[in-house]
PDB file of all heavy atoms in Angstrom:
ATOM      1  N   ALA A   1      69.985 123.971 146.486  1.00  0.00           N
ATOM      2  CA  ALA A   1      69.932 124.643 145.186  1.00  0.00           C
ATOM      3  C   ALA A   1      70.311 126.123 145.249  1.00  0.00           C
ATOM      4  O   ALA A   1      71.188 126.572 144.501  1.00  0.00           O
ATOM      5  CB  ALA A   1      68.559 124.455 144.545  1.00  0.00           C
ATOM      6  N   PRO A   2      69.689 126.940 146.101  1.00  0.00           N
ATOM      7  CA  PRO A   2      70.094 128.350 146.145  1.00  0.00           C
ATOM      8  C   PRO A   2      71.528 128.549 146.617  1.00  0.00           C
ATOM      9  O   PRO A   2      72.197 129.492 146.207  1.00  0.00           O
ATOM     10  CB  PRO A   2      69.089 128.979 147.131  1.00  0.00           C
ATOM     11  CG  PRO A   2      68.511 127.848 147.892  1.00  0.00           C
ATOM     12  CD  PRO A   2      68.526 126.677 146.970  1.00  0.00           C
ATOM     13  N   VAL A   3      72.004 127.646 147.482  1.00  0.00           N
ATOM     14  CA  VAL A   3      73.391 127.730 147.946  1.00  0.00           C
ATOM     15  C   VAL A   3      74.347 127.539 146.774  1.00  0.00           C
ATOM     16  O   VAL A   3      75.334 128.263 146.632  1.00  0.00           O
ATOM     17  CB  VAL A   3      73.675 126.683 149.043  1.00  0.00           C
ATOM     18  CG1 VAL A   3      75.145 126.730 149.459  1.00  0.00           C
ATOM     19  CG2 VAL A   3      72.786 126.910 150.248  1.00  0.00           C
ATOM     20  N   ALA A   4      74.052 126.578 145.901  1.00  0.00           N
ATOM     21  CA  ALA A   4      74.913 126.288 144.752  1.00  0.00           C
ATOM     22  C   ALA A   4      75.026 127.491 143.830  1.00  0.00           C
ATOM     23  O   ALA A   4      76.128 127.874 143.408  1.00  0.00           O
ATOM     24  CB  ALA A   4      74.375 125.077 143.987  1.00  0.00           C
ATOM     25  N   VAL A   5      73.898 128.116 143.509  1.00  0.00           N
ATOM     26  CA  VAL A   5      73.908 129.253 142.592  1.00  0.00           C
ATOM     27  C   VAL A   5      74.555 130.467 143.249  1.00  0.00           C
ATOM     28  O   VAL A   5      75.334 131.193 142.624  1.00  0.00           O
ATOM     29  CB  VAL A   5      72.484 129.600 142.116  1.00  0.00           C
ATOM     30  CG1 VAL A   5      72.520 130.777 141.147  1.00  0.00           C
ATOM     31  CG2 VAL A   5      71.845 128.393 141.436  1.00  0.00           C
ATOM     32  N   ALA A   6      74.240 130.701 144.523  1.00  0.00           N
ATOM     33  CA  ALA A   6      74.814 131.840 145.234  1.00  0.00           C
ATOM     34  C   ALA A   6      76.336 131.752 145.283  1.00  0.00           C
ATOM     35  O   ALA A   6      77.027 132.769 145.151  1.00  0.00           O
ATOM     36  CB  ALA A   6      74.243 131.912 146.653  1.00  0.00           C
ATOM     37  N   LEU A   7      76.868 130.553 145.453  1.00  0.00           N
ATOM     38  CA  LEU A   7      78.322 130.371 145.483  1.00  0.00           C
ATOM     39  C   LEU A   7      78.953 130.719 144.142  1.00  0.00           C
ATOM     40  O   LEU A   7      79.991 131.389 144.084  1.00  0.00           O
ATOM     41  CB  LEU A   7      78.662 128.922 145.858  1.00  0.00           C
ATOM     42  CG  LEU A   7      78.743 128.626 147.347  1.00  0.00           C
ATOM     43  CD1 LEU A   7      78.816 127.121 147.589  1.00  0.00           C
ATOM     44  CD2 LEU A   7      79.962 129.313 147.949  1.00  0.00           C
ATOM     45  N   GLY A   8      78.349 130.243 143.053  1.00  0.00           N
ATOM     46  CA  GLY A   8      78.882 130.555 141.730  1.00  0.00           C
ATOM     47  C   GLY A   8      78.868 132.045 141.459  1.00  0.00           C
ATOM     48  O   GLY A   8      79.858 132.617 140.983  1.00  0.00           O
ATOM     49  N   LEU A   9      77.760 132.699 141.780  1.00  0.00           N
ATOM     50  CA  LEU A   9      77.623 134.134 141.552  1.00  0.00           C
ATOM     51  C   LEU A   9      78.624 134.928 142.388  1.00  0.00           C
ATOM     52  O   LEU A   9      79.347 135.791 141.867  1.00  0.00           O
ATOM     53  CB  LEU A   9      76.193 134.571 141.903  1.00  0.00           C
ATOM     54  CG  LEU A   9      75.910 136.075 141.902  1.00  0.00           C
ATOM     55  CD1 LEU A   9      76.094 136.643 140.501  1.00  0.00           C
ATOM     56  CD2 LEU A   9      74.503 136.352 142.416  1.00  0.00           C
ATOM     57  N   SER A  10      78.690 134.648 143.675  1.00  0.00           N
ATOM     58  CA  SER A  10      79.565 135.416 144.555  1.00  0.00           C
ATOM     59  C   SER A  10      81.043 135.166 144.262  1.00  0.00           C
ATOM     60  O   SER A  10      81.873 136.059 144.434  1.00  0.00           O
ATOM     61  CB  SER A  10      79.261 135.089 146.022  1.00  0.00           C
ATOM     62  OG  SER A  10      79.341 133.698 146.254  1.00  0.00           O
ATOM     63  N   SER A  11      81.390 133.963 143.805  1.00  0.00           N
ATOM     64  CA  SER A  11      82.790 133.664 143.465  1.00  0.00           C
ATOM     65  C   SER A  11      83.258 134.522 142.295  1.00  0.00           C
ATOM     66  O   SER A  11      84.379 135.035 142.301  1.00  0.00           O
ATOM     67  CB  SER A  11      82.949 132.183 143.117  1.00  0.00           C
ATOM     68  OG  SER A  11      82.690 131.381 144.247  1.00  0.00           O
ATOM     69  N   VAL A  12      82.396 134.690 141.293  1.00  0.00           N
ATOM     70  CA  VAL A  12      82.748 135.533 140.158  1.00  0.00           C
ATOM     71  C   VAL A  12      82.867 136.988 140.591  1.00  0.00           C
ATOM     72  O   VAL A  12      83.827 137.688 140.241  1.00  0.00           O
ATOM     73  CB  VAL A  12      81.699 135.398 139.030  1.00  0.00           C
ATOM     74  CG1 VAL A  12      81.958 136.416 137.925  1.00  0.00           C
ATOM     75  CG2 VAL A  12      81.716 133.984 138.455  1.00  0.00           C
ATOM     76  N   VAL A  13      81.912 137.456 141.375  1.00  0.00           N
ATOM     77  CA  VAL A  13      81.947 138.832 141.868  1.00  0.00           C
ATOM     78  C   VAL A  13      83.184 139.064 142.725  1.00  0.00           C
ATOM     79  O   VAL A  13      83.884 140.069 142.586  1.00  0.00           O
ATOM     80  CB  VAL A  13      80.668 139.151 142.683  1.00  0.00           C
ATOM     81  CG1 VAL A  13      80.789 140.518 143.357  1.00  0.00           C
ATOM     82  CG2 VAL A  13      79.451 139.124 141.772  1.00  0.00           C
ATOM     83  N   GLY A  14      83.494 138.117 143.615  1.00  0.00           N
ATOM     84  CA  GLY A  14      84.650 138.253 144.489  1.00  0.00           C
ATOM     85  C   GLY A  14      85.970 138.245 143.751  1.00  0.00           C
ATOM     86  O   GLY A  14      86.966 138.798 144.230  1.00  0.00           O
ATOM     87  N   THR A  15      85.993 137.621 142.568  1.00  0.00           N
ATOM     88  CA  THR A  15      87.227 137.558 141.786  1.00  0.00           C
ATOM     89  C   THR A  15      87.533 138.876 141.088  1.00  0.00           C
ATOM     90  O   THR A  15      88.696 139.281 140.985  1.00  0.00           O
ATOM     91  CB  THR A  15      87.127 136.439 140.721  1.00  0.00           C
ATOM     92  OG1 THR A  15      86.951 135.186 141.385  1.00  0.00           O
ATOM     93  CG2 THR A  15      88.399 136.372 139.880  1.00  0.00           C
ATOM     94  N   VAL A  16      86.507 139.578 140.636  1.00  0.00           N
ATOM     95  CA  VAL A  16      86.732 140.764 139.820  1.00  0.00           C
ATOM     96  C   VAL A  16      86.848 142.054 140.625  1.00  0.00           C
ATOM     97  O   VAL A  16      87.379 143.043 140.118  1.00  0.00           O
ATOM     98  CB  VAL A  16      85.617 140.933 138.753  1.00  0.00           C
ATOM     99  CG1 VAL A  16      85.587 139.738 137.822  1.00  0.00           C
ATOM    100  CG2 VAL A  16      84.249 141.102 139.417  1.00  0.00           C
ATOM    101  N   VAL A  17      86.371 142.070 141.870  1.00  0.00           N
ATOM    102  CA  VAL A  17      86.489 143.304 142.652  1.00  0.00           C
ATOM    103  C   VAL A  17      87.904 143.444 143.199  1.00  0.00           C
ATOM    104  O   VAL A  17      88.654 142.473 143.275  1.00  0.00           O
ATOM    105  CB  VAL A  17      85.469 143.332 143.823  1.00  0.00           C
ATOM    106  CG1 VAL A  17      84.059 143.304 143.304  1.00  0.00           C
ATOM    107  CG2 VAL A  17      85.715 142.176 144.781  1.00  0.00           C
ATOM    108  N   ILE A  18      88.272 144.664 143.598  1.00  0.00           N
ATOM    109  CA  ILE A  18      89.660 144.939 143.962  1.00  0.00           C
ATOM    110  C   ILE A  18      89.979 144.678 145.428  1.00  0.00           C
ATOM    111  O   ILE A  18      91.138 144.683 145.815  1.00  0.00           O
ATOM    112  CB  ILE A  18      90.031 146.404 143.637  1.00  0.00           C
ATOM    113  CG1 ILE A  18      89.148 147.378 144.451  1.00  0.00           C
ATOM    114  CG2 ILE A  18      89.910 146.675 142.149  1.00  0.00           C
ATOM    115  CD1 ILE A  18      89.564 148.825 144.327  1.00  0.00           C
ATOM    116  N   THR A  19      88.973 144.450 146.270  1.00  0.00           N
ATOM    117  CA  THR A  19      89.260 144.221 147.681  1.00  0.00           C
ATOM    118  C   THR A  19      89.851 142.825 147.890  1.00  0.00           C
ATOM    119  O   THR A  19      89.502 141.893 147.163  1.00  0.00           O
ATOM    120  CB  THR A  19      87.985 144.356 148.533  1.00  0.00           C
ATOM    121  OG1 THR A  19      87.005 143.443 148.041  1.00  0.00           O
ATOM    122  CG2 THR A  19      87.452 145.762 148.490  1.00  0.00           C
ATOM    123  N   PRO A  20      90.746 142.659 148.871  1.00  0.00           N
ATOM    124  CA  PRO A  20      91.336 141.343 149.131  1.00  0.00           C
ATOM    125  C   PRO A  20      90.263 140.311 149.460  1.00  0.00           C
ATOM    126  O   PRO A  20      89.399 140.544 150.300  1.00  0.00           O
ATOM    127  CB  PRO A  20      92.240 141.605 150.347  1.00  0.00           C
ATOM    128  CG  PRO A  20      92.538 143.064 150.295  1.00  0.00           C
ATOM    129  CD  PRO A  20      91.303 143.701 149.743  1.00  0.00           C
ATOM    130  N   GLY A  21      90.331 139.168 148.760  1.00  0.00           N
ATOM    131  CA  GLY A  21      89.364 138.111 149.005  1.00  0.00           C
ATOM    132  C   GLY A  21      87.951 138.458 148.599  1.00  0.00           C
ATOM    133  O   GLY A  21      87.010 137.739 148.921  1.00  0.00           O
ATOM    134  N   GLY A  22      87.792 139.585 147.869  1.00  0.00           N
ATOM    135  CA  GLY A  22      86.455 140.009 147.472  1.00  0.00           C
ATOM    136  C   GLY A  22      85.611 140.489 148.628  1.00  0.00           C
ATOM    137  O   GLY A  22      84.375 140.518 148.540  1.00  0.00           O
ATOM    138  N   ALA A  23      86.287 140.879 149.733  1.00  0.00           N
ATOM    139  CA  ALA A  23      85.572 141.282 150.950  1.00  0.00           C
ATOM    140  C   ALA A  23      84.555 142.376 150.646  1.00  0.00           C
ATOM    141  O   ALA A  23      84.864 143.355 149.989  1.00  0.00           O
ATOM    142  CB  ALA A  23      86.567 141.760 152.007  1.00  0.00           C
ATOM    143  N   GLY A  24      83.358 142.192 151.135  1.00  0.00           N
ATOM    144  CA  GLY A  24      82.291 143.167 150.921  1.00  0.00           C
ATOM    145  C   GLY A  24      81.404 142.780 149.754  1.00  0.00           C
ATOM    146  O   GLY A  24      80.206 142.527 149.928  1.00  0.00           O
ATOM    147  N   ALA A  25      81.986 142.709 148.564  1.00  0.00           N
ATOM    148  CA  ALA A  25      81.203 142.393 147.367  1.00  0.00           C
ATOM    149  C   ALA A  25      80.720 140.936 147.390  1.00  0.00           C
ATOM    150  O   ALA A  25      79.582 140.644 147.008  1.00  0.00           O
ATOM    151  CB  ALA A  25      82.032 142.650 146.113  1.00  0.00           C
ATOM    152  N   TYR A  26      81.593 140.025 147.824  1.00  0.00           N
ATOM    153  CA  TYR A  26      81.240 138.602 147.882  1.00  0.00           C
ATOM    154  C   TYR A  26      80.026 138.397 148.782  1.00  0.00           C
ATOM    155  O   TYR A  26      79.044 137.757 148.392  1.00  0.00           O
ATOM    156  CB  TYR A  26      82.437 137.815 148.418  1.00  0.00           C
ATOM    157  CG  TYR A  26      82.269 136.308 148.401  1.00  0.00           C
ATOM    158  CD1 TYR A  26      82.931 135.535 147.447  1.00  0.00           C
ATOM    159  CD2 TYR A  26      81.482 135.645 149.343  1.00  0.00           C
ATOM    160  CE1 TYR A  26      82.793 134.148 147.447  1.00  0.00           C
ATOM    161  CE2 TYR A  26      81.340 134.278 149.346  1.00  0.00           C
ATOM    162  CZ  TYR A  26      82.004 133.528 148.392  1.00  0.00           C
ATOM    163  OH  TYR A  26      81.857 132.160 148.384  1.00  0.00           O
ATOM    164  N   GLU A  27      80.086 138.956 149.985  1.00  0.00           N
ATOM    165  CA  GLU A  27      79.001 138.790 150.949  1.00  0.00           C
ATOM    166  C   GLU A  27      77.717 139.432 150.449  1.00  0.00           C
ATOM    167  O   GLU A  27      76.619 138.861 150.611  1.00  0.00           O
ATOM    168  CB  GLU A  27      79.396 139.399 152.297  1.00  0.00           C
ATOM    169  CG  GLU A  27      80.542 138.695 152.995  1.00  0.00           C
ATOM    170  CD  GLU A  27      81.904 139.141 152.494  1.00  0.00           C
ATOM    171  OE1 GLU A  27      81.965 140.091 151.676  1.00  0.00           O
ATOM    172  OE2 GLU A  27      82.916 138.540 152.903  1.00  0.00           O
ATOM    173  N   ALA A  28      77.841 140.619 149.848  1.00  0.00           N
ATOM    174  CA  ALA A  28      76.655 141.326 149.353  1.00  0.00           C
ATOM    175  C   ALA A  28      75.955 140.531 148.257  1.00  0.00           C
ATOM    176  O   ALA A  28      74.720 140.400 148.260  1.00  0.00           O
ATOM    177  CB  ALA A  28      77.052 142.711 148.835  1.00  0.00           C
ATOM    178  N   ALA A  29      76.738 139.997 147.308  1.00  0.00           N
ATOM    179  CA  ALA A  29      76.162 139.228 146.206  1.00  0.00           C
ATOM    180  C   ALA A  29      75.476 137.964 146.718  1.00  0.00           C
ATOM    181  O   ALA A  29      74.355 137.626 146.294  1.00  0.00           O
ATOM    182  CB  ALA A  29      77.244 138.872 145.190  1.00  0.00           C
ATOM    183  N   MET A  30      76.141 137.278 147.639  1.00  0.00           N
ATOM    184  CA  MET A  30      75.578 136.028 148.149  1.00  0.00           C
ATOM    185  C   MET A  30      74.295 136.277 148.944  1.00  0.00           C
ATOM    186  O   MET A  30      73.266 135.612 148.714  1.00  0.00           O
ATOM    187  CB  MET A  30      76.610 135.309 149.019  1.00  0.00           C
ATOM    188  CG  MET A  30      76.070 134.053 149.681  1.00  0.00           C
ATOM    189  SD  MET A  30      77.379 133.006 150.327  1.00  0.00           S
ATOM    190  CE  MET A  30      77.962 132.214 148.821  1.00  0.00           C
ATOM    191  N   ALA A  31      74.351 137.211 149.880  1.00  0.00           N
ATOM    192  CA  ALA A  31      73.172 137.492 150.699  1.00  0.00           C
ATOM    193  C   ALA A  31      72.008 137.985 149.843  1.00  0.00           C
ATOM    194  O   ALA A  31      70.849 137.599 150.075  1.00  0.00           O
ATOM    195  CB  ALA A  31      73.521 138.524 151.769  1.00  0.00           C
ATOM    196  N   ALA A  32      72.307 138.823 148.843  1.00  0.00           N
ATOM    197  CA  ALA A  32      71.251 139.349 147.972  1.00  0.00           C
ATOM    198  C   ALA A  32      70.563 138.217 147.215  1.00  0.00           C
ATOM    199  O   ALA A  32      69.327 138.210 147.064  1.00  0.00           O
ATOM    200  CB  ALA A  32      71.837 140.364 146.993  1.00  0.00           C
ATOM    201  N   TYR A  33      71.346 137.246 146.738  1.00  0.00           N
ATOM    202  CA  TYR A  33      70.746 136.129 146.000  1.00  0.00           C
ATOM    203  C   TYR A  33      69.889 135.272 146.933  1.00  0.00           C
ATOM    204  O   TYR A  33      68.780 134.859 146.566  1.00  0.00           O
ATOM    205  CB  TYR A  33      71.821 135.268 145.344  1.00  0.00           C
ATOM    206  CG  TYR A  33      71.222 134.160 144.505  1.00  0.00           C
ATOM    207  CD1 TYR A  33      70.836 134.396 143.191  1.00  0.00           C
ATOM    208  CD2 TYR A  33      70.991 132.904 145.048  1.00  0.00           C
ATOM    209  CE1 TYR A  33      70.248 133.388 142.433  1.00  0.00           C
ATOM    210  CE2 TYR A  33      70.405 131.891 144.305  1.00  0.00           C
ATOM    211  CZ  TYR A  33      70.039 132.141 142.998  1.00  0.00           C
ATOM    212  OH  TYR A  33      69.438 131.149 142.260  1.00  0.00           O
ATOM    213  N   PHE A  34      70.404 134.996 148.131  1.00  0.00           N
ATOM    214  CA  PHE A  34      69.618 134.216 149.087  1.00  0.00           C
ATOM    215  C   PHE A  34      68.274 134.883 149.362  1.00  0.00           C
ATOM    216  O   PHE A  34      67.226 134.223 149.373  1.00  0.00           O
ATOM    217  CB  PHE A  34      70.383 134.071 150.410  1.00  0.00           C
ATOM    218  CG  PHE A  34      71.493 133.054 150.371  1.00  0.00           C
ATOM    219  CD1 PHE A  34      72.667 133.257 151.082  1.00  0.00           C
ATOM    220  CD2 PHE A  34      71.363 131.890 149.643  1.00  0.00           C
ATOM    221  CE1 PHE A  34      73.683 132.325 151.063  1.00  0.00           C
ATOM    222  CE2 PHE A  34      72.368 130.941 149.610  1.00  0.00           C
ATOM    223  CZ  PHE A  34      73.537 131.170 150.319  1.00  0.00           C
ATOM    224  N   ILE A  35      68.308 136.190 149.578  1.00  0.00           N
ATOM    225  CA  ILE A  35      67.079 136.932 149.878  1.00  0.00           C
ATOM    226  C   ILE A  35      66.124 136.902 148.687  1.00  0.00           C
ATOM    227  O   ILE A  35      64.904 136.747 148.845  1.00  0.00           O
ATOM    228  CB  ILE A  35      67.417 138.386 150.272  1.00  0.00           C
ATOM    229  CG1 ILE A  35      68.185 138.403 151.603  1.00  0.00           C
ATOM    230  CG2 ILE A  35      66.155 139.229 150.378  1.00  0.00           C
ATOM    231  CD1 ILE A  35      68.790 139.745 151.945  1.00  0.00           C
ATOM    232  N   ALA A  36      66.684 137.021 147.471  1.00  0.00           N
ATOM    233  CA  ALA A  36      65.849 137.004 146.261  1.00  0.00           C
ATOM    234  C   ALA A  36      65.145 135.667 146.077  1.00  0.00           C
ATOM    235  O   ALA A  36      64.064 135.604 145.488  1.00  0.00           O
ATOM    236  CB  ALA A  36      66.706 137.316 145.032  1.00  0.00           C
ATOM    237  N   THR A  37      65.733 134.582 146.575  1.00  0.00           N
ATOM    238  CA  THR A  37      65.105 133.258 146.445  1.00  0.00           C
ATOM    239  C   THR A  37      64.064 133.006 147.527  1.00  0.00           C
ATOM    240  O   THR A  37      63.415 131.956 147.530  1.00  0.00           O
ATOM    241  CB  THR A  37      66.168 132.141 146.508  1.00  0.00           C
ATOM    242  OG1 THR A  37      66.859 132.203 147.768  1.00  0.00           O
ATOM    243  CG2 THR A  37      67.153 132.250 145.365  1.00  0.00           C
ATOM    244  N   GLY A  38      63.917 133.962 148.454  1.00  0.00           N
ATOM    245  CA  GLY A  38      62.872 133.835 149.463  1.00  0.00           C
ATOM    246  C   GLY A  38      63.355 133.485 150.852  1.00  0.00           C
ATOM    247  O   GLY A  38      62.540 133.290 151.766  1.00  0.00           O
TER     248      GLY A  38
END
């Protein structure tokens, strides 16, 4: 369950940021969500 939501969130973040492949923002969004879920 948390993996599914984290993927959706990070994919959107990675699409809108200017770095290639969303590098940096994608990882930050995903890790932050995982940590928030415990």
Side-chain angles (χ1 to χ4, degrees):
V3 177
V5 181
L7 273 169
L9 172 64
S10 55
S11 295
V12 172
V13 172
T15 299
V16 299
V17 298
I18 62 173
T19 57
Y26 186 105
E27 294 83 6
M30 175 165 282
Y33 184 85
F34 283 145
I35 294 169
T37 60

